[in-house]
Amino acid sequence: MKNKIYLKVNTDLRASPQVLCWFGQMNQPAIPDQQIWWQCQILMMEGFTNIVEHAHKNLPIETPIKIEAVRLNEYIEIRIWSYGEPFDLEQRLQQTSEFEENEQERGRGLKIMSAIADKLSYEPTGDNRCCLFIRKYY
């Protein structure tokens, strides 16, 4: 089985319901473990939110965010392309406080994603964009 879907939205958190609804197609047929599906939805929304709030924070609302989701027999992959500045994801994760020590309301998204994703990366793509890549096995 292979299912691939695409979405393009503006840099706007108000697009979150649209993103989540669109991503729901990945759960057809339903993933047997409901907790895994919830984690996939969290990964999608944390990734989208991080791009809007951090990578695109100084960019116009019209700046596009392109999203691709692929479901294969054993895992789901999510790719979110942004126009944000590249950064070292591993270094950022090491610099971010653990959940128990992080009393800020912000800054926990990458830790959450790192904890539940099976693979997580943020790499420049060569066309002045970066790609947030997430893989989750089910």
Side-chain angles (χ1 to χ4, degrees):
M1 171 178 72
K2 182 175 181 181
N3 183 17
K4 185 184 285 193
I5 58 175
Y6 300 92
L7 180 68
K8 184 168 121 179
V9 294
N10 285 339
T11 297
D12 189 348
L13 285 179
R14 292 176 293 188
S16 296
Q18 177 187 358
V19 171
L20 195 57
C21 181
W22 164 83
F23 186 62
Q25 299 173 68
M26 286 288 100
N27 200 28
Q28 300 299 323
I31 293 172
D33 186 337
Q34 185 66 39
Q35 183 174 353
I36 296 289
W37 175 241
W38 289 333
Q39 290 174 343
C40 289
Q41 293 176 88
I42 289 167
L43 288 165
M44 170 58 73
M45 296 317 299
E46 284 292 338
F48 175 72
T49 301
N50 272 321
I51 297 301
V52 171
E53 292 185 341
H54 300 289
H56 285 190
K57 70 179 174 186
N58 296 319
L59 299 175
I61 196 169
E62 298 81 22
T63 305
I65 297 173
K66 293 183 180 178
I67 309 170
E68 172 189 281
V70 181
R71 180 171 172 183
L72 296 144
N73 289 332
E74 299 175 351
Y75 55 87
I76 290 178
E77 290 182 346
I78 300 166
R79 289 175 179 82
I80 306 175
W81 286 275
S82 73
Y83 289 92
E85 292 295 318
F87 67 91
D88 185 328
L89 178 62
E90 290 302 317
Q91 182 181 28
R92 183 77 49 93
L93 286 168
Q94 290 173 5
Q95 292 171 348
T96 303
S97 301
E98 294 302 322
F99 297 119
E100 301 80 24
E101 301 163 7
N102 190 340
E103 296 179 13
Q104 302 172 16
E105 290 185 29
R106 314 301 301 153
R108 293 180 278 194
L110 289 178
K111 282 288 190 184
I112 291 168
M113 291 169 54
S114 176
I116 60 178
D118 293 303
K119 180 167 176 44
L120 180 67
S121 65
Y122 187 70
E123 303 289 335
T125 60
D127 58 356
N128 293 323
R129 297 187 301 169
C130 290
C131 181
L132 177 64
F133 175 82
I134 305 162
R135 178 180 291 152
K136 180 67 180 171
Y137 285 91
Y138 61 89

